[in-house]
Amino acid sequence: MERLRPQVIRWRLAGADRPQQLRSLTVLRSAVEPIAAGLAAKFATAEQCAELTECAIGMVANSRGHQLEAYLVHDVAFHRVILTASGNEMFARLGDVVTEVLAGRTHHEVMFEDPDPAAVTLHVQVAEAVREGDAVRAETLTREITVGALQELDILAP
């Protein structure tokens, strides 16, 4: 568990094994976040649904014009809401890990200058699926997001 501490992740992302660290953590995300999104569709409160929608709108608003830091704020919040709204306290505890992965991608330039428009749209669709209580769709769309993140790593951090 020591390797999942935010300080350790930050330290490893600053080192030579950054691509491997990002890949390992993104694979972890791809295993957990789709399930968390499906659970969020079942258990999210009205407030969590509203917060998720606000985060997705913020991502859209900051997805063009090289606003990666502003985009990151909304992206991190979006994924934290998904993990928390799942109702699973272990998933919720992974919020710090996901935060470090997303921040690491941005701060170490393992992101395109503007986020992939398709990925931004997927986040909006996940928020809709959660709000509608469609667990299968929320899980499927979130899986697409994490697969896309892995594909970006193949391009940007081979």
Side-chain angles (χ1 to χ4, degrees), residues 20 22 86:
Q20 179 57 38
L22 282 170
S86 73

Side-chain angles (χ1 to χ4, degrees), residues 26-45:
T26 303
V27 168
L28 174 65
R29 282 184 60 205
S30 69
V32 171
E33 283 195 83
I35 302 300
L39 290 170
K42 294 178 182 179
F43 301 120
T45 65

Side-chain angles (χ1 to χ4, degrees), residues 71-84:
Y71 179 87
L72 176 64
V73 170
H74 299 287
D75 194 16
V76 164
F78 181 94
H79 291 279
R80 281 188 175 275
V81 172
I82 288 287
L83 292 166
T84 301

Side-chain angles (χ1 to χ4, degrees), residues 50-103:
E51 187 178 356
L52 202 57
T53 299
E54 289 173 18
C55 293
I57 290 169
M59 291 172 73
V60 170
N62 292 285
S63 64
R64 300 178 102 179
H66 313 297
Q67 301 180 75
L68 289 179
E69 286 297 327
Y71 179 87
L72 176 64
V73 170
H74 299 287
D75 194 16
V76 164
F78 181 94
H79 291 279
R80 281 188 175 275
V81 172
I82 288 287
L83 292 166
T84 301
S86 73
N88 181 302
E89 72 279 1
M90 293 301 161
F91 287 175
R93 290 187 56 131
L94 291 174
D96 289 343
V97 173
V98 172
T99 295
E100 292 303 326
V101 173
L102 296 173

Side-chain angles (χ1 to χ4, degrees), residues 100-121:
E100 292 303 326
V101 173
L102 296 173
R105 288 178 60 204
T106 300
H107 298 147
H108 294 290
E109 299 174 359
V110 189
M111 278 280 283
F112 296 113
E113 289 182 347
D114 285 331
D116 176 20
V120 176
T121 299

